[in-house]
Structures are given as structure tokens and as C-alpha cells.
């Protein structure tokens, strides 16, 4: 007996095996009676048993809607989790000098920066503190 798998499942041996398996993470299938699952687009991930390309979501540090190409977060922006949605600007007092970042880096002691800062040199001493940009400041 040949088994026709439901959405999100496939029959790995349609010539005789009587079961369907769930698609692995990073794959999906949106038709019944499949013998192989489709691979999600690059830099996306999906849960086990996914049944739509929209289930393929962007990895950490990447933004975009489900099932579509993802782009890296720009410097000064980050995205800490897998999923759809967009990158967030680094908070004041932090910076990120890389693309595709998952977290911003805190400024040195006694220094702060503007929202969305992209370099350590953007960290300047707080009022009442002295020091070079990008270094620890002292009172």
C-alpha cells in the first residue's frame, strides 16, 4: 500500500513504504503525495513539518518577510532572534560595526553614543567625564 503524505510530510519510498515522514527543519512541502521536501531559501530556517515557503524565516541578524530573500542587518542595527520582521537600531550607549549582527556592544565605562551608532569611536564621554572617543572615560 502506498501512503500519500499530508502537507509538511513526504513518503521517502513511494514504491512500498507505508508511512510518511515530516519534513526536516530547513525544508517544507506544500503539496500532498510528495516524495521529497523543498529546501528553504538561503539564510532561512523552518520548523520540522513545515508546509509552506512562508514558514522559512530569516536567521538571526537578517531581516525580511517569511519565504522571501533575507538581507543582513546594517551596521548599527541588530536582530537577536530567528523570524520575520526587521532589524532594530542599537540603543543609545551601544554600537555595532558589523553587518548581520545579533546584539550591539556597550560603550566603555563613562561613555555613551547615539541610537544606531556604528563604531566604537561613536562612544563619547558623558558630561563630566573626560577621555578619548571609544575609550573608558574618567570623572
Amino acid at each position: 500500500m502506498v501512503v500519500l503524505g499530508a502537507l509538511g510530510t513526504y513518503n521517502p519510498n513511494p514504491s512500498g513504504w507505508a508511512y510518511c515522514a515530516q519534513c526536516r527543519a530547513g525544508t517544507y512541502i506544500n503539496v500532498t503525495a510528495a516524495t521529497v521536501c523543498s529546501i528553504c531559501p538561503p539564510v532561512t530556517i523552518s520548523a520540522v513539518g513545515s508546509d509552506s515557503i512562508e514558514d522559512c524565516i530569516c536567521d538571526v541578524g537578517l531581516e525580511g518577510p517569511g519565504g522571501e530573500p533575507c538581507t543582513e542587518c546594517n551596521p548599527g542595527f541588530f536582530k537577536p532572534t530567528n523570524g520575520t520582521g526587521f532589524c532594530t537600531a542599537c540603543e543609545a550607549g551601544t554600537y555595532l560595526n558589523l553587518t548581520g549582527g545579533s546584539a550591539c556592544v556597550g560603550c566603555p565605562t563613562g561613555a555613551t553614543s547615539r541610537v544606531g551608532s556604528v563604531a566604537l569611536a561613536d562612544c563619547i564621554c558623558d558630561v563630566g567625564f573626560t577621555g578619548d572617543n571609544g575609550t573608558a572615560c574618567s570623572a
Side-chain angles (χ1 to χ4, degrees), residues 1-4 11 13-20:
M1 170 173 111
V2 175
V3 173
L4 302 178
N11 185 337
N13 187 355
S15 64
W17 290 43
Y19 77 95
C20 288

Side-chain angles (χ1 to χ4, degrees), residues 75-121:
F77 289 79
F78 72 105
K79 187 166 155 261
T81 58
N82 293 328
T84 58
F86 298 96
C87 302
T88 303
C90 293
E91 295 179 1
T94 66
Y95 71 95
L96 186 60
N97 60 354
L98 307 170
T99 58
S102 61
C104 300
V105 179
C107 287
T109 302
T112 192
S113 64
R114 288 185 276 173
V115 171
S117 291
V118 299
L120 177 59

